[in-house]
Amino acid sequence: MANPLADCVSSLRSSNHLLANSISILDSGVNDFPRLAKVLQTTKHFELLPSSALSAAQSRLLSSLTPEFNTLLSRVETHLDRLERREQALIARCELLEGRLSMNGEDSEAMGRGGGAMGRRSLAGEGDGSREALRLKQARAKKERLGYAVERLSLQAQQRERQLRKSVAAQ
């Protein structure tokens, strides 16, 4: 009977040894488990999105930015129109002032040739022809001044029409 028990004991010892080896292997695997968990953990550096989510985000961004762009564009257009009107007004004023300067230059030449008030008296004394020439010259100067005034007033009327159109369009 000793033999069958000896075989059981040896089988038990080998099972015990095998179990101890298995425990040591599992122990080494379990001890390394936190490091393995960290190594195997995935980190998302770039998140991949489906194309439908991307197109939805783009449409939301477009819908939120479009009113902003439209507002900025209208402000720029308003400012450019204002600058254009100012430029036209300055050009008209420049032309008006040039006309006045040239008219003043002609008047001073006439006075210089005629000698001022003394020259006018002498021209008046010379006869009706010189008086008529003086009146004709004055009428031409007046016509030129009135032409510049009409041009200036028409430019002002155009400017007011533009301002009115802009204010109506803004409302």
Side-chain angles (χ1 to χ4, degrees), residues 108-163:
S108 64
E109 287 176 12
M111 284 186 177
R113 281 182 284 181
M118 297 279 281
R120 285 191 187 140
R121 283 188 207 126
S122 64
L123 285 176
E126 289 180 5
D128 288 334
S130 62
R131 188 179 305 160
E132 194 65 33
L134 182 62
R135 274 196 349 206
L136 183 62
K137 194 174 221 174
Q138 288 174 346
R140 285 182 185 152
K142 186 174 182 179
K143 179 182 173 185
E144 191 173 330
R145 281 195 311 269
L146 291 173
Y148 283 120
V150 166
E151 185 177 346
R152 180 178 50 86
L153 290 173
S154 67
L155 287 174
Q156 286 177 352
Q158 289 174 355
Q159 182 178 2
R160 287 187 183 132
E161 287 175 8
R162 281 190 212 105
Q163 288 174 346

Side-chain angles (χ1 to χ4, degrees), residues 2-153:
N3 263 344
L5 285 179
D7 287 338
C8 279
V9 169
S10 70
S11 175
L12 185 59
R13 282 187 184 155
S14 70
S15 291
N16 192 15
H17 181 64
L18 185 62
L19 188 58
N21 283 340
S22 296
I23 288 175
S24 67
I25 290 172
L26 283 175
D27 191 35
S28 65
V30 170
N31 285 339
D32 200 29
F33 187 72
R35 185 187 70 82
L36 286 175
K38 189 169 186 171
V39 167
L40 294 176
Q41 184 181 17
T42 58
T43 304
K44 290 184 181 180
H45 293 288
F46 299 100
E47 187 172 345
L48 299 177
L49 297 173
S51 62
S52 60
L54 185 62
S55 63
Q58 285 176 338
S59 65
R60 282 194 310 266
L61 183 64
L62 182 66
S63 66
S64 68
L65 290 180
T66 300
E68 301 278 334
F69 284 135
N70 290 338
T71 303
L72 290 174
L73 284 175
S74 66
R75 287 175 63 189
V76 166
E77 287 174 356
T78 303
H79 187 66
L80 287 176
D81 289 341
R82 191 177 304 141
L83 288 176
E84 183 181 334
R85 287 191 303 269
R86 185 173 181 206
E87 179 186 18
Q88 290 174 354
L90 289 173
I91 288 172
R93 181 164 169 75
C94 178
E95 290 174 354
L96 178 67
L97 292 175
E98 284 176 355
R100 286 181 181 171
L101 282 175
S102 66
M103 192 171 21
N104 286 341
E106 289 174 4
D107 287 347
S108 64
E109 287 176 12
M111 284 186 177
R113 281 182 284 181
M118 297 279 281
R120 285 191 187 140
R121 283 188 207 126
S122 64
L123 285 176
E126 289 180 5
D128 288 334
S130 62
R131 188 179 305 160
E132 194 65 33
L134 182 62
R135 274 196 349 206
L136 183 62
K137 194 174 221 174
Q138 288 174 346
R140 285 182 185 152
K142 186 174 182 179
K143 179 182 173 185
E144 191 173 330
R145 281 195 311 269
L146 291 173
Y148 283 120
V150 166
E151 185 177 346
R152 180 178 50 86
L153 290 173

